[in-house]
Amino acid sequence: FFFFLAGFLCFLKKEKYFLASVFAFFASLTRLIGLFLIIFFIFKFFEKKIKKINLFFVFSPIFGFLAYCFYLWKTTGDPLMFFHSQPAFGANRSTSLIFLPQVAWRYLKIFFTADFNFQYFIAIFEFFVFFLVLSVLLLDLKNLVSIKNLKLKIKNYDYLALNIFSFANLILPSLTGTFSSIPRYSLFSLSFFIYLRKIKNKFLKFLILLFFLIFHTILLVFFSQGYFVS
């Protein structure tokens, strides 16, 4: 998926929309979040960088998603098997949509009622990573969009599209009722890393680096001993 995402962004930047649409097709064929690459095409369309006759490019992520649904329908009889099969993985995921406030409340209940053990630590880590990335994305959005004299001003359409995609990438997994695996899912919220790159304060950059090094070491130790660390 990362290969297809990187290829898509590369060809989109070079305005090679046919190749970008090919990579978008396979990205949405690979992971559900690839469906949201349509955001980039929509922004390009409104910027009039994509002509109406090339609407096929705009909808290429949807075609990839539909192709996978067709495959599931032919092989399992359920075009949404990728969603309905979630409980089978044992990660406490729900097949009914659970919205963010309810998920956050579930985690707060864990913090006040659960035993202090490895799972408790992982729950704290998942919760912290989710809201850390969410906060940075909100700060990034604030820098990209402003309202003056009741008019919406967008500084950079490409970065705004990436920001919205990053939000979708972060929020989508939580709709199953848990922040499980959010630390790895959030790696595709690329606006988070771009925003951190723009920080000019060297001391703050050092603290961020130190934070990631400490947690990377702790999680690597757990993982090397056979623990699931999200």
Side-chain angles (χ1 to χ4, degrees), residues 13 40 43-44 47 49 140-146 153-164 191 194 197-198:
K13 185 68 175 178
F40 294 88
F43 272 70
K44 290 292 184 182
E47 284 185 279
K49 291 186 176 181
D140 184 50
L141 180 63
K142 181 182 177 182
N143 289 339
L144 293 170
V145 178
S146 60
K153 184 179 180 180
I154 299 174
K155 294 181 180 179
N156 188 304
Y157 281 89
D158 290 336
Y159 279 130
L160 179 59
L162 186 62
N163 178 271
I164 296 174
S191 288
I194 292 176
R197 178 184 62 83
K198 294 179 181 179

Side-chain angles (χ1 to χ4, degrees), residues 87-106:
F89 290 94
N92 297 318
R93 296 191 182 277
S94 172
T95 54
S96 57
L97 296 181
I98 309 296
F99 295 102
L100 182 57
Q102 188 174 352
V103 181
W105 175 248
R106 286 181 175 183

Side-chain angles (χ1 to χ4, degrees), residues 98-109 127 130-131 134 171 174-175 177 179:
I98 309 296
F99 295 102
L100 182 57
Q102 188 174 352
V103 181
W105 175 248
R106 286 181 175 183
Y107 271 74
L108 290 175
K109 288 175 65 178
F127 185 86
F130 179 89
F131 283 100
L134 181 65
I171 299 297
S174 71
L175 295 178
F179 292 142

Side-chain angles (χ1 to χ4, degrees), residues 6 42 55 83 96 150 171 187 190 223:
I42 292 175
L55 278 176
F83 181 66
S96 57
L150 300 178
I171 299 297
L187 293 175
L190 302 181
F223 182 77

Side-chain angles (χ1 to χ4, degrees), residues 162-218:
L162 186 62
N163 178 271
I164 296 174
F165 173 80
S166 297
F167 269 112
N169 174 69
L170 183 68
I171 299 297
L172 184 64
S174 71
L175 295 178
T176 59
T178 177
F179 292 142
S180 177
S181 296
I182 280 294
R184 64 183 177 89
Y185 288 149
S186 62
L187 293 175
F188 293 111
S189 293
L190 302 181
S191 288
F192 172 76
F193 300 100
I194 292 176
Y195 184 87
L196 295 184
R197 178 184 62 83
K198 294 179 181 179
I199 295 176
K200 296 181 180 180
N201 188 305
K202 292 184 178 180
F203 179 72
L204 181 56
K205 279 189 173 182
F206 173 77
L207 289 180
I208 294 173
L209 174 63
L210 183 63
F211 166 79
F212 278 117
L213 283 175
I214 291 174
F215 271 94
H216 182 80
T217 302
I218 293 173

Side-chain angles (χ1 to χ4, degrees), residues 12 17 23 30 38-39 42 50 63 74 83 90 102 110 119 139 146 150 163 171 180 183 186 204 220 228:
L12 190 73
Y17 298 121
F23 275 79
T30 307
I38 193 174
I39 296 169
I42 292 175
I50 298 181
F63 296 145
K74 295 295 289 184
F83 181 66
Q102 188 174 352
I110 291 174
Q119 287 75 22
L139 290 173
S146 60
L150 300 178
N163 178 271
I171 299 297
S180 177
S186 62
L204 181 56
L220 181 61
F228 174 72

Side-chain angles (χ1 to χ4, degrees), residues 68 72 78 80-90 93 95:
Y68 183 57
L72 290 177
D78 182 2
L80 299 179
M81 177 58 74
F82 68 89
F83 181 66
H84 295 150
S85 64
Q86 287 298 318
F89 290 94
R93 296 191 182 277
T95 54

